[in-house]
Amino acid sequence: LAQAVQVAFERNPRIREARARLELARADLDAAGRLPNPGVGYARLDPSREPGEQVTRSVSLGLGDLLLLPSRKRFAAAELLRVQGVIAHELLQLRREGEHAWYACVAAGQVAGMRALVAQSAEQSAALAGRFHDAGNISALQLAQERAAAAPARNEADPAALDALRARAELAATMGVPAEG
């Protein structure tokens, strides 16, 4: 169970997506703490004027960006906390789903194994009854009753095996691994 949940945490596509969202939120927080690069301008004016009047140079820094820097950092930090909370919720939900799928898979496998054993024993009992009938120890009615008892056991074994296969596929999907038949 612990290994199944661990694999689900590592390989489930929802968790991979959540980790990507977390990395984006961290990058947004880093970007919110930085000022944009200052702007540098250079212009050459009309060439017919005096040489001192022909060149203009400028350096600019956004005052609004500087004033909003603390607010942007707070908003980005709050968004990072929100994303962390969402991811924690998704991890808990995935753990619950993984545990449920694991128990369902184990239970379905045990039921399928039990049904297969019942079908096998019923078939062996019917075969033994056939030998007893051939030897003259039981009547044709008793042989028919043994064969009739074996038929439902065979009919119950196949759906149980299919249920076990479905539960295994559901567990594999929850874990984020390919299902193997």
Side-chain angles (χ1 to χ4, degrees), residues 127-139 143:
L128 182 62
R131 287 194 304 231
F132 282 167
H133 180 266
D134 292 342
N137 292 335
I138 63 172
S139 67
L143 175 62

Side-chain angles (χ1 to χ4, degrees), residues 82-152:
R82 187 194 69 78
V83 168
Q84 286 174 343
V86 167
I87 290 172
H89 177 351
E90 287 181 12
L91 285 171
L92 290 173
Q93 185 175 7
L94 180 63
R95 179 177 182 92
R96 182 186 56 80
E97 290 172 7
E99 287 175 353
H100 180 268
W102 187 84
Y103 283 119
C105 182
V106 169
Q110 289 177 348
V111 167
M114 183 267 308
R115 297 266 189 224
L117 284 174
V118 167
Q120 182 183 9
S121 66
E123 288 171 3
Q124 288 175 353
S125 176
L128 182 62
R131 287 194 304 231
F132 282 167
H133 180 266
D134 292 342
N137 292 335
I138 63 172
S139 67
L141 177 62
Q142 290 171 322
L143 175 62
Q145 287 173 339
E146 281 294 324
R147 288 183 178 163

Side-chain angles (χ1 to χ4, degrees), residues 32-55:
R34 292 191 205 116
L35 286 174
N37 291 332
V40 177
Y42 180 82
R44 184 173 180 155
L45 300 177
D46 185 16
S48 65
R49 301 220 174 197
E50 296 279 325
E53 298 176 9
Q54 291 181 2
V55 177

